[in-house]
Amino acid sequence: MSTKYATYETAWCPGCGNFAILDALKDTLNKLNLSPHQVLVVGGIGQAAKLPQYINTNGFEGLHGRALPVAIAAKIANHNLKVIVNTGDGDSYGEGGNHFIHNIRRNVDITHFVHDNQIYGLTKGQSSPTSGLGHVTDFTPNGVFNKPLNPLTMALSLGAGFVARAFSGEKDHLVEIMQEAINYKGYAIVDILQPCVSFNKVNTFAWYKDRVYKLKDHDYKDKVKAFEVANIWDEEIPIGIIYKEEMPSYTDNFGFLKEKPLIEQDTSKETVKKLIEDFI
Amino acid sequence: MSTKYATYETAWCPGCGNFAILDALKDTLNKLNLSPHQVLVVGGIGQAAKLPQYINTNGFEGLHGRALPVAIAAKIANHNLKVIVNTGDGDSYGEGGNHFIHNIRRNVDITHFVHDNQIYGLTKGQSSPTSGLGHVTDFTPNGVFNKPLNPLTMALSLGAGFVARAFSGEKDHLVEIMQEAINYKGYAIVDILQPCVSFNKVNTFAWYKDRVYKLKDHDYKDKVKAFEVANIWDEEIPIGIIYKEEMPSYTDNFGFLKEKPLIEQDTSKETVKKLIEDFI
Amino acid sequence: MEYNVLIGGEAGQGMKTLTSVFSQMIHKRGFYLFTLADYMSRVRGGHNFFQLRFSDDKLYSHCEKLDVIIALNQETCDLHLGRLKEDGVVLADTNVKSNDSRLVTIKAKELATEVGNVRTMSTVLLGALLKLFGLDEEYLEEIFSHKFNEKITNQNLESYQRGQSLVEQKFKTSKGNKAERLLINGNQAIALGALAANMKFYSAYPMTPATSIMSYLVTKAEEAKIIVEQAEDEIAAINMAIGAASVGVRAMTGTSGGGFSLMVEGLGLAGIAEIPLVIALVQRPGPATGLPTRTEQADLKFAINASQGEFGRIVISLNSPEDAFYQTTRAFNLAEKYQLPVILLSDQYLADATQTVNLFDLDKVAIERSIEDEPSSDYKRYALSETGISPRALPGYHSGVVINHDSDEHDEEGNITESAQVRNDMVNKRAMKFSLAKNDIQEPKVLGIENPQILLLGWGSTYSQLKDAVELLNENERRYGALVFGDIWPLPTKKFLDSYKTSEKIINVEQNSTAQLASLIKETTGKDIDLNILRYDGRPLSADEIIEKVLEVE
Amino acid sequence: MEYNVLIGGEAGQGMKTLTSVFSQMIHKRGFYLFTLADYMSRVRGGHNFFQLRFSDDKLYSHCEKLDVIIALNQETCDLHLGRLKEDGVVLADTNVKSNDSRLVTIKAKELATEVGNVRTMSTVLLGALLKLFGLDEEYLEEIFSHKFNEKITNQNLESYQRGQSLVEQKFKTSKGNKAERLLINGNQAIALGALAANMKFYSAYPMTPATSIMSYLVTKAEEAKIIVEQAEDEIAAINMAIGAASVGVRAMTGTSGGGFSLMVEGLGLAGIAEIPLVIALVQRPGPATGLPTRTEQADLKFAINASQGEFGRIVISLNSPEDAFYQTTRAFNLAEKYQLPVILLSDQYLADATQTVNLFDLDKVAIERSIEDEPSSDYKRYALSETGISPRALPGYHSGVVINHDSDEHDEEGNITESAQVRNDMVNKRAMKFSLAKNDIQEPKVLGIENPQILLLGWGSTYSQLKDAVELLNENERRYGALVFGDIWPLPTKKFLDSYKTSEKIINVEQNSTAQLASLIKETTGKDIDLNILRYDGRPLSADEIIEKVLEVE
Ligand SMILES: Cc1ncc(C[n+]2csc(CCOP(=O)(O)OP(=O)(O)O)c2C)c(N)n1
Ligand SMILES: Cc1ncc(C[n+]2csc(CCOP(=O)(O)OP(=O)(O)O)c2C)c(N)n1
Ligand code: SF4
Ligand code: SF4
Ligand SMILES: [Mg+2]
Ligand SMILES: [Mg+2]
């Protein structure tokens, strides 16, 4: 790996799945021939969300749950930037659930990598929206009662155009998917299974390793099939691109953004003058 | 209709679909033989959310988007109350989207009637999450760009146990569905199509009337079929119970709630004493 | 010459059209207009009214006494008759009844039906109304044809003529003094200010009375090449604005108290990450949902203290549409100069009060971007500096330079830190630039006599009523003055302390129940106010009311 | 007898177990303990430490000077050696190096490996540590077997023995004074207080440093028959608590500043709908994410002014674990008596400082529900009354009676209103009951001399350090006193004003950068403070530091 994206000391636990995701992201950006200043990595708050700190690109570490609104607006403001969100499952689906719903609908051309360790890591082991039924944590002594949220079927049902699952333990495959996701013109979500060695004693590296298999001969243009595949869990877990469909993305709706990014367009004094004079 | 639930002057526009929903609710409560003091109707803020003001039951009109958390907690605190949420599409799916997601997962035994006029009524005509693609409003002069949110497929993908659609213009049918929804043990959502005569010039009474048809011979236990039916829109719109499945509801998870409601159970002084002494 | 007309009825009775056509005719003739909007939180029905005060001199506020009432229903007549002057007129359809001899009824509905469009009933009344003031149809066709198609325009013109024929002129009017002036309300002025400041991104969630900023902007979005995004909630709205601002466009959000509550965490993010952000907070009465369509000034201390931790913010309260326009442009400059959030505090009264103001002068508007165009390769987003301000470069434009923003306490490069030393440095840095910002803070506006015997205080939109009140008070005895704060946080105290020394009595005027400005003054200067004139029923204070209370205590 | 031990290393090195076992052994022997927790926002690695101060007298705060350092890594030794007393000891594994003669290394890792469990390395050090103080294995087996299975317990006991054999006693200890006392931290005390108050519903979203309230409650939920719900976000958390409280159970939520920001709108809902609600706000340094695991007192003015509109709230800052327990029970009574939100202000220092306190006395806890059990058939939820308090009946229990809560301005029955008169009545009613609540407000606690020459001020958790500081200052010359506010909004001013008259100098001590208490005092009394001692790097002030600064300026 080139050092263009630099290497920093992290605050992650040894053995954490986040390392592989960070490495994969750096590889991906290299493969895509992107320079650090062309990329903006946005995180919320959490272990995963610390990623912007550990890569030499533009970074924005905002509020817990609020990575998406920051990211899509940054993209809208300067669509020459490659905008990538790296953040946790709690951040994306818990605190940030409403932004998840509505940014699927908005379809801004950003990429959303969810480090899905099925747990709240940074706050030390509460169940997350994706924790399995019955998952015992210090905070759910009788196991989780709430039905786990399936981000993939949810995204599909909201009309997402790029839906994928990956596993931090399959790095090459992850890099492939990351490339496809970043290249996709629109909102792309990749739910990345990521072992948390400190707090998730159920969904361990081995647990995932035993279950994941790479999708083969899957027709990712078929929505019904996509739902089917997205629903597979527990005994077997498919990884790969589950659904992909080309569609207009947010900025396509604005003619004037075709010339150049918003940031490079000024509202002319003449226009303002005219608008003022409308009130005469 | 008995006057047990009283009649009040409303602030709704003449011709608004909300009147029929209010009437249907009163009929339903009468049919279910519920007394006013046994029922709690919760709303957020909006035209629909004013409903608690217009019915003689216990009422809670809270914050915009926040009806669900209030309602589920009230139910948990005193599960002898029948707790019913009546509120708008903007309230439920826009501002309140995150609570929608997570209360499906939580499955508390409440009923959620969404007055879905596909518009923000009270604030005078902005598009709502369910407004159709291309819908022109004063706030979307070039039409809505965002893909409309389908609350039914979303609820299904999150594992909801009771999912239905109804139309304010089919009152008897609405009353039937309301009864079923209220009787269902768990979280029940009914998306009620409701013409807004003042601001929604697209999805008018006639528009709905032309399209809705009552589901017949639909197997509401079949989830795949349910997804299919829930996706039907535009040319034809099915109304009825789309999916229903018995499952444990929230309070079933707590043995001590089987005896009597939370509000009637005190933490004994002995228990507290013991817990304190654990720190000795 | 000065008159005051009330047009009242249920929502949905054509009152809005009537008001807007009448307003434009008055305005275009060269009169000055001040419109008060009083409406309920509903779409149809209820009791709503507009008060249109006009004159050949500049007007600053509404007033209570009425010359004409247009009663679209019985309720309007009953509710407002008490405020009608002795020689006033109530103009209404024949279905309105009263023993009062000032009631003049006309067959408006019948005539409108004859014309073929019962909805032109209000235009019959308009015809009569204009006739009362001896005004003809100048501008009428232009205005109607702008609003309606030919058929409806003609029906309206016909109904207007019928109305004119039914009454006689009663009030004398001057010729008017035509000039290029604007007929505009507070929210529109904010929106124009934002456009003049080259704002490119506005994200908001609808909330009365802030919504009309968005509704204006969105209709001009293509023309102005800006993005207006309706967010899923206010949390998204502020975080979007922050995201857009973080890469370098000027960005803004607007809301009322409830939405601002949800933005509080984002406000702190802008504080610590040093993102320039402008927020319009258009107040309405709280707590919580409160009185959604009415006015209050009760979010002042909330705006000043909102969000965990400590960071500088500038709060500018808006005094008038002109002020709203220029201060909005200034807010963007300040936000970028000091890299912090600037809150524009307005309220429903100012937001909805359409009035005649002088043409906004773009030559008075400077756009000062404060952006580092050539960052060196060791550029640091949060570099410590003597002023506390770090040069701000934008991401994406400089090969080899990356920009990091962070909501954690961070080092100069924007990386999270746990160092006590770095923490102290950064807190001090942010405090320092805020301290510096105080130099840019503007002292309150002076009304009436400088350092007067009786000093009135106010902030924000009560400028309107204080302006009129002080003028009238001074007509008897020239010993009144007022200081009206625009910039309100950090609170400028120089003029206040000067006047404090010389004035005999200090009277503070606010639209709230706890006298928040008074407590801010006490907190900052230790000085007490002698008397508070407070109103908190959601209705605006009037100049008359202020005068009455002032004279009462003297 | 008084000693101070620091145990430091990376997260994940067994420091927590070592600290907790040592603490319990000290505590059970009848010594008083005060533990300071200093940790980073990460799960593994970083530098973290605990400081364990113990004595045979009651302790109130931590102190800087160290008798023993247990260095689980080199960094610990390097960072803290400067604070070691001359006759102190650094105890470490042989991999730690230093020229300092006070370093005593033992083959902890090697021995632990020999025992068959390298993770018992910290227990070898524990053995040595206890030996330094001449303490034997009393309680050890009990404590270990409570934590571990038999095999691991035995390994630990073996490692302990090895550790004991490696060093000689160096510090004299007394016998201890065994009694039924609690070893508890601030958050646990809040949780117990809530249980003692018969709280039935706790909803929260995890946020450091408030999370441990929830984590304690959830493990006792079945036993106490309460519901503890992890919400999807803080907005849900507060609205759930409000929903539960609205039907009559005592309900509470807890969070830190970021989460509180999201609760601000809900706070106003509780205000206008008059729902009794208790909120624990456990502060950490901001703005925004700030320093998540550290301490600060910078949310005071935010808590007092949060939310749009005006309504009464009571803010109680917590001084110590005992205070936390009793004030939490009181908070529920006040919330119900006045039907308003009560905010308990704590901070990371108090939340995490495990210490020895007297047994909580349930006989001192009264549960006053203030509920109307027999509402008449014309019951009105918001009935106007002389006190401003409307009798509160619960829904579901009275046939013919329904209860309406409303976030809009409402009439006595809880129905939305637009009436100016009703609005005034309701604002006045809420103001009246809040005014009445002032009678229940407690004056600050007095430390040292009442009405002293040198008056120190503080609030919340700085009680700890002020208690020690004043005591030590008075040892030289008895002229120091302190007022430490518990109840802080509405601010009680009587004792302050009394002392103000007599004291020569007033010194305000806070853990923030803008002296918020000082500004509150100025706002309320107009009085200035002579000097502020402020710390805002996220680390707690110590008594020594306060003393030093006090003496500096005298
Ligand atoms: C408003 C707010 N609420 C709560 C928190 C505390 N918090 C920080 S990270 C986190 C959850 C982290 O879980 P996840 O997003 O899954 O990330 P992980 O640490 O597992 O990578 C929480 C609750 C916060 N920082 N801000
Ligand atoms: C926090 C907050 N944001 C915004 C509003 C303003 N608001 C009130 S109702 C509403 C939307 C109403 O739409 P919907 O829920 O669909 O109800 P409808 O009026 O159509 O029945 C909005 C945006 C508010 N009251 N509170
Ligand atoms: S706590 Fe879990 S997610 Fe966080 S760094 Fe450690 S292993 Fe990774
Ligand atoms: S605005 Fe629409 S939803 Fe609201 S009352 Fe009128 S018709 Fe009904
Ligand atoms: Mg996680
Ligand atoms: Mg709606």
Side-chain angles (χ1 to χ4, degrees), chain B residues 45 47-48 64 89-91 95 117 119 121-122, chain C residues 205-206 234, chain D residues 265:
Chain B
I45 294 295
Q47 297 284 25
H64 181 49
D89 48 328
D91 203 82
E95 183 87 77
N117 54 10
I119 208 83
L122 187 62
Chain C
Y205 187 79
E234 289 86 349
Chain D
E265 196 192 10

Side-chain angles (χ1 to χ4, degrees), chain C residues 353-365:
Chain C
T354 298
Q355 52 193 287
T356 308
V357 304
N358 291 330
L359 190 62
F360 298 155
D361 184 354
L362 283 176
D363 291 340
K364 286 196 196 146
V365 173

Side-chain angles (χ1 to χ4, degrees), chain B residues 37 53 58-62 66 73 98-99 102 106 250 263-267 274-276 279-280, chain D residues 181 183 198 200 223-225 229-230 232-233 235 240 247 396-397 402-408 415-416:
Chain B
H37 78 284
Q53 308 264 355
N58 297 297
F60 193 106
E61 198 169 328
R66 318 302 169 191
N98 209 28
H99 315 305
H102 294 282
R106 219 171 247 126
Y250 183 95
I263 190 171
E264 292 174 18
Q265 307 205 30
D266 290 331
T267 307
K274 185 199 150 286
L275 291 174
I276 291 174
F279 286 90
I280 289 177
Chain D
R181 300 191 202 95
L183 184 63
N198 201 25
K200 302 305 298 173
E223 202 171 339
K225 298 186 179 174
E229 183 61 24
Q230 182 177 320
E232 55 272 29
D233 56 33
I235 303 174
M240 284 181 192
V247 301
Y397 287 98
V402 295
I403 316 291
N404 276 293
H405 289 107
D406 193 359
S407 75
D408 297 282
N415 287 318
I416 188 169

Side-chain angles (χ1 to χ4, degrees), chain C residues 39-42 207 235 257-259 261-262 264-265 268-269 271-272 284-294 296-299 301-303 305-311 407-409 416-421 423-424 427-428 430 489 511-516 519-520 522-527 535-539, chain D residues 39-42 207 235 257-259 261-262 264-265 268-269 271-272 284-294 296-299 301-303 305-311 407-409 416-421 423-424 427-428 430 489 511-516 519-520 522-527 535-539:
Chain C
Y39 58 100
M40 290 181 147
S41 179
R42 55 193 291 169
M207 186 161 195
I235 303 174
S261 277
L262 294 166
V264 161
E265 196 192 10
L269 169 59
I272 192 166
R284 69 191 214 188
T289 311
L291 291 167
T293 59
R294 306 205 172 271
E296 193 160 272
Q297 302 182 299
D299 299 349
K301 289 173 75 181
F302 175 34
N305 293 293
S307 210
Q308 73 270 22
E310 298 169 308
F311 59 95
S407 76
D408 299 282
E409 191 56 273
I416 188 169
T417 183
E418 300 254 8
S419 153
Q421 183 56 50
R423 164 72 175 176
N424 281 334
V427 173
N428 295 343
R430 291 188 295 263
W489 190 257
Q511 290 271 167
N512 61 45
S513 70
T514 61
Q516 300 193 20
S519 106
L520 211 58
K522 181 94 180 257
E523 176 189 335
T524 320
T525 67
K527 306 295 183 217
R535 181 161 188 171
Y536 46 90
D537 62 1
R539 279 72 177 172
Chain D
Y39 57 99
M40 289 181 150
S41 180
R42 55 194 290 170
M207 185 160 196
I235 303 174
S261 277
L262 293 166
V264 161
E265 196 192 10
L269 169 59
I272 193 167
R284 70 190 212 189
T289 311
L291 290 167
T293 59
R294 307 208 172 267
E296 193 160 272
Q297 301 183 299
D299 300 349
K301 289 174 75 181
F302 175 34
N305 293 293
S307 213
Q308 74 269 25
E310 301 171 307
F311 58 94
S407 75
D408 297 282
E409 192 55 273
I416 188 169
T417 185
E418 300 252 10
S419 152
Q421 183 57 50
R423 164 71 175 178
N424 280 334
V427 172
N428 295 342
R430 292 188 294 264
W489 189 258
Q511 288 272 167
N512 61 45
S513 69
T514 61
Q516 300 194 18
S519 105
L520 212 57
K522 181 94 180 259
E523 174 188 336
T524 320
T525 68
K527 305 295 184 215
R535 182 163 186 168
Y536 47 89
D537 62 0
R539 279 70 177 173

Side-chain angles (χ1 to χ4, degrees), chain A residues 11-19 47-48 117 119-122 124 194-200, chain D residues 43-44:
Chain A
W12 290 326
C13 314
C16 173
N18 281 321
F19 291 104
Q47 297 285 23
N117 53 12
I119 208 82
Y120 282 13
L122 187 63
K124 311 208 164 171
Q194 173 237 322
C196 165
V197 297
S198 291
F199 294 112
N200 192 330
Chain D
V43 169
R44 298 274 179 85

Side-chain angles (χ1 to χ4, degrees), chain A residues 45 47-48 64 89-91 95 117 119 121-123, chain C residues 265, chain D residues 206 234:
Chain A
I45 294 295
Q47 297 285 23
H64 181 49
D89 47 328
D91 203 81
E95 183 86 77
N117 53 12
I119 208 82
L122 187 63
T123 46
Chain C
E265 196 192 10
Chain D
E234 288 87 349

Side-chain angles (χ1 to χ4, degrees), chain C residues 165-184:
Chain C
S165 67
L166 294 175
V167 296
E168 291 308 312
Q169 175 164 4
K170 184 167 162 78
F171 304 102
K172 272 204 214 126
T173 50
S174 65
K175 274 237 60 146
N177 160 20
K178 291 187 195 176
E180 292 207 322
R181 299 192 202 95
L182 308 178
L183 183 62
I184 198 167

